[in-house]
C-alpha cells in the first residue's frame, strides 16, 4: 500500500497516511455527518477499521473538527467584503500588532498572510456596508500604518468548496491506484 510522505513537521507522528486515509479525509471534508457505515463502503473497507482510522486521523491532528456551513445570509442581511492590505512597515512587531488587532473583530472571518504586492487578504462579513466602514476605519486609525487598504465588495458567491489536495492526488494517479489496489 502506497504511503504518502507527510510534511516534515508531521513526520514524527505515529502511523502513516495511505491512500485509504486520504479518501477518508476527502469524504469527511465533503460531508462531516456521513455515517461510518457509508464512509466505509465509499472507501472500500469494513466499518470497524474505518472507525479506527478516523479516530487515528483525529489523534494525529489531521482533522481539525466538524462543523456545519450555515447560510447566514438567508436569515440576516449581510455584506461580505475582501480587503487586500499592505503594511507600511514590515517589522515583525508591526505584523504581530496587526494580527493581534484583527483577532478581536468577529466580523473579520478570514485572514490570510500573502506573498506578493499585499501582505494580507481579509474577509469581512458585516451586517451592512456602514458596519464594514466602521471596522475598517478603526483598523486604519489604529497603531499600524498601511501603505494600501483596498476593498472589494462581494456581489455574489459563485463557489465555496474546500480544496482537497488528497482528492486531486487520488484523481491524478488513478492508474497507479489501480495497480496498488
Amino acid at each position: 500500500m502506497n504511503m504518502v510522505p507527510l510534511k516534515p513537521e508531521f513526520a514524527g507522528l505515529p502511523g502513516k497516511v495511505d491512500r485509504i486515509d486520504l479518501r477518508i479525509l476527502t469524504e469527511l471534508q465533503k460531508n462531516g455527518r456521513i455515517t461510518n457505515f457509508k464512509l466505509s463502503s465509499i472507501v472500500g473497507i469494513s466499518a470497524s477499521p474505518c472507525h479506527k482510522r478516523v479516530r487515528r486521523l483525529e489523534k494525529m491532528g489531521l482533522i481539525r473538527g466538524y462543523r456545519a456551513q450555515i447560510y447566514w445570509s438567508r436569515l440576516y442581511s449581510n455584506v461580505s467584503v475582501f480587503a487586500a492590505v499592505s503594511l507600511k512597515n514590515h517589522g515583525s512587531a508591526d505584523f504581530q500588532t496587526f494580527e493581534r488587532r484583527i483577532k478581536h473583530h468577529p466580523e473579520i472571518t478570514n485572514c490570510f498572510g500573502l506573498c506578493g504586492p499585499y501582505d494580507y487578504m481579509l474577509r469581512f462579513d458585516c451586517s451592512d456596508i456602514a458596519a464594514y466602514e466602521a471596522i475598517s476605519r478603526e483598523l486604519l486609525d489604529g497603531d499600524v500604518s498601511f501603505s494600501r487598504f483596498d476593498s472589494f465588495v462581494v456581489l455574489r458567491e459563485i463557489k465555496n468548496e474546500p480544496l482537497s489536495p488528497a482528492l486531486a492526488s487520488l484523481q491524478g494517479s488513478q492508474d497507479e491506484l489501480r495497480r496498488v489496489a
Side-chain angles (χ1 to χ4, degrees), residues 29-102:
Q29 187 172 7
K30 286 188 220 173
N31 179 4
R33 292 185 58 165
I34 191 171
T35 65
N36 185 60
F37 180 77
K38 176 126 175 131
L39 179 61
S40 67
S41 69
I42 290 172
V43 300
I45 61 175
S46 62
S48 180
C50 183
H51 181 69
K52 288 177 183 172
R53 282 175 178 260
V54 170
R55 294 295 169 246
R56 183 175 55 84
L57 293 167
E58 289 172 344
K59 287 179 183 167
M60 289 175 72
L62 295 175
I63 299 173
R64 281 197 295 185
Y66 303 88
R67 62 182 170 177
Q69 293 180 322
I70 310 298
Y71 284 109
W72 290 111
S73 61
R74 292 183 179 177
L75 293 171
Y76 304 101
S77 70
N78 74 317
V79 63
S80 294
V81 179
F82 286 92
V85 174
S86 291
L87 303 185
K88 191 172 196 173
N89 301 311
H90 288 99
S92 75
D94 297 295
F95 289 119
Q96 290 173 359
T97 301
F98 175 75
E99 291 172 16
R100 196 171 35 254
R101 289 196 65 214
I102 63 157

Side-chain angles (χ1 to χ4, degrees), residues 147-168:
S147 61
R148 300 219 37 192
F149 197 107
D150 299 332
S151 301
F152 307 90
V153 176
V154 175
L155 299 177
R156 61 189 171 102
E157 187 173 276
I158 311 302
K159 182 177 180 180
N160 182 358
E161 295 181 28
L163 171 66
S164 175
L167 181 60

Side-chain angles (χ1 to χ4, degrees), residues 85 97-98 100-108 122 124 126 129-146 149 151:
V85 174
T97 301
F98 175 75
R100 196 171 35 254
R101 289 196 65 214
I102 63 157
K103 288 179 181 178
H104 297 292
H105 291 281
E107 299 87 355
I108 300 174
L122 306 173
F124 293 78
C126 301
I129 205 72
Y132 167 71
E133 181 184 13
I135 296 164
S136 60
R137 280 187 188 275
E138 182 183 327
L139 288 173
L140 289 166
D141 291 340
D143 48 359
V144 176
S145 298
F146 298 93
F149 197 107
S151 301

